[in-house]
Short mmCIF file of all heavy atoms in Angstrom, two decimals:
data_model
loop_
_atom_site.label_atom_id
_atom_site.label_comp_id
_atom_site.label_asym_id
_atom_site.label_seq_id
_atom_site.Cartn_x
_atom_site.Cartn_y
_atom_site.Cartn_z
N ALA A 29 -5.78 1.49 -8.41
CA ALA A 29 -5.53 0.18 -8.23
C ALA A 29 -3.92 -0.23 -8.21
O ALA A 29 -3.55 -0.89 -7.53
CB ALA A 29 -6.12 -0.76 -9.35
N LYS A 30 -3.30 0.68 -9.14
CA LYS A 30 -1.81 0.52 -9.01
C LYS A 30 -1.19 1.21 -7.83
O LYS A 30 -0.28 0.68 -7.22
CB LYS A 30 -1.25 1.19 -10.27
CG LYS A 30 -1.51 0.31 -11.53
CD LYS A 30 -0.96 1.19 -12.72
CE LYS A 30 -1.33 0.47 -14.01
NZ LYS A 30 -0.89 1.27 -15.24
N LEU A 31 -1.69 2.31 -7.46
CA LEU A 31 -1.26 3.15 -6.34
C LEU A 31 -1.48 2.41 -4.88
O LEU A 31 -0.64 2.52 -4.07
CB LEU A 31 -1.82 4.40 -6.39
CG LEU A 31 -1.40 5.41 -5.32
CD1 LEU A 31 0.08 5.85 -5.32
CD2 LEU A 31 -2.30 6.76 -5.34
N GLN A 32 -2.67 1.78 -4.83
CA GLN A 32 -3.05 1.23 -3.55
C GLN A 32 -2.89 2.34 -2.38
O GLN A 32 -2.25 2.10 -1.42
CB GLN A 32 -2.35 -0.08 -3.20
CG GLN A 32 -2.55 -1.13 -4.21
CD GLN A 32 -4.01 -1.69 -3.93
OE1 GLN A 32 -4.35 -2.15 -2.90
NE2 GLN A 32 -4.80 -1.81 -5.03
N PRO A 33 -3.75 3.27 -2.46
CA PRO A 33 -3.58 4.39 -1.53
C PRO A 33 -4.07 3.91 -0.13
O PRO A 33 -4.86 3.05 0.16
CB PRO A 33 -4.45 5.40 -2.09
CG PRO A 33 -5.38 4.82 -2.82
CD PRO A 33 -4.73 3.63 -3.35
N THR A 34 -3.35 4.53 0.92
CA THR A 34 -3.73 4.27 2.28
C THR A 34 -5.10 5.00 2.66
O THR A 34 -5.92 4.43 3.39
CB THR A 34 -2.65 4.71 3.27
OG1 THR A 34 -1.42 4.13 2.82
CG2 THR A 34 -3.02 4.49 4.66
N ALA A 35 -5.29 6.14 2.01
CA ALA A 35 -6.41 6.96 2.33
C ALA A 35 -6.80 7.67 1.06
O ALA A 35 -5.98 8.11 0.40
CB ALA A 35 -6.23 7.99 3.47
N MET A 36 -8.16 7.99 0.96
CA MET A 36 -8.74 8.82 -0.19
C MET A 36 -9.73 9.77 0.53
O MET A 36 -10.62 9.36 1.32
CB MET A 36 -9.38 8.12 -1.18
CG MET A 36 -8.42 7.09 -1.95
SD MET A 36 -7.30 8.08 -3.03
CE MET A 36 -8.41 8.35 -4.41
N LEU A 37 -9.74 11.02 0.14
CA LEU A 37 -10.72 11.97 0.65
C LEU A 37 -11.60 12.40 -0.54
O LEU A 37 -11.17 12.95 -1.52
CB LEU A 37 -9.99 13.18 1.34
CG LEU A 37 -10.96 14.18 1.89
CD1 LEU A 37 -10.25 14.77 3.02
CD2 LEU A 37 -11.35 15.27 0.89
N PHE A 38 -13.03 12.24 -0.22
CA PHE A 38 -13.93 12.62 -1.30
C PHE A 38 -14.72 13.72 -0.63
O PHE A 38 -15.05 13.67 0.51
CB PHE A 38 -14.86 11.43 -1.55
CG PHE A 38 -14.28 10.34 -2.42
CD1 PHE A 38 -13.52 9.24 -1.72
CD2 PHE A 38 -14.36 10.31 -3.81
CE1 PHE A 38 -12.84 8.31 -2.48
CE2 PHE A 38 -13.76 9.24 -4.47
CZ PHE A 38 -13.05 8.29 -3.79
N TYR A 39 -15.22 14.78 -1.48
CA TYR A 39 -16.05 15.75 -0.90
C TYR A 39 -17.46 15.31 -0.99
O TYR A 39 -17.82 14.30 -1.75
CB TYR A 39 -15.89 17.00 -1.91
CG TYR A 39 -14.63 17.78 -1.52
CD1 TYR A 39 -13.37 17.24 -1.99
CD2 TYR A 39 -14.54 18.85 -0.74
CE1 TYR A 39 -12.09 17.79 -1.56
CE2 TYR A 39 -13.40 19.51 -0.40
CZ TYR A 39 -12.18 18.99 -0.93
OH TYR A 39 -11.05 19.71 -0.51
N SER A 40 -18.33 15.89 -0.10
CA SER A 40 -19.67 15.31 0.08
C SER A 40 -20.47 15.13 -1.02
O SER A 40 -21.31 14.33 -1.09
CB SER A 40 -20.34 16.23 1.28
OG SER A 40 -20.46 17.59 0.85
#
Side-chain angles (χ1 to χ4, degrees):
K30 289 178 190 172
L31 181 66
Q32 291 293 303
T34 302
M36 296 288 282
L37 184 143
F38 291 83
Y39 285 76
S40 57

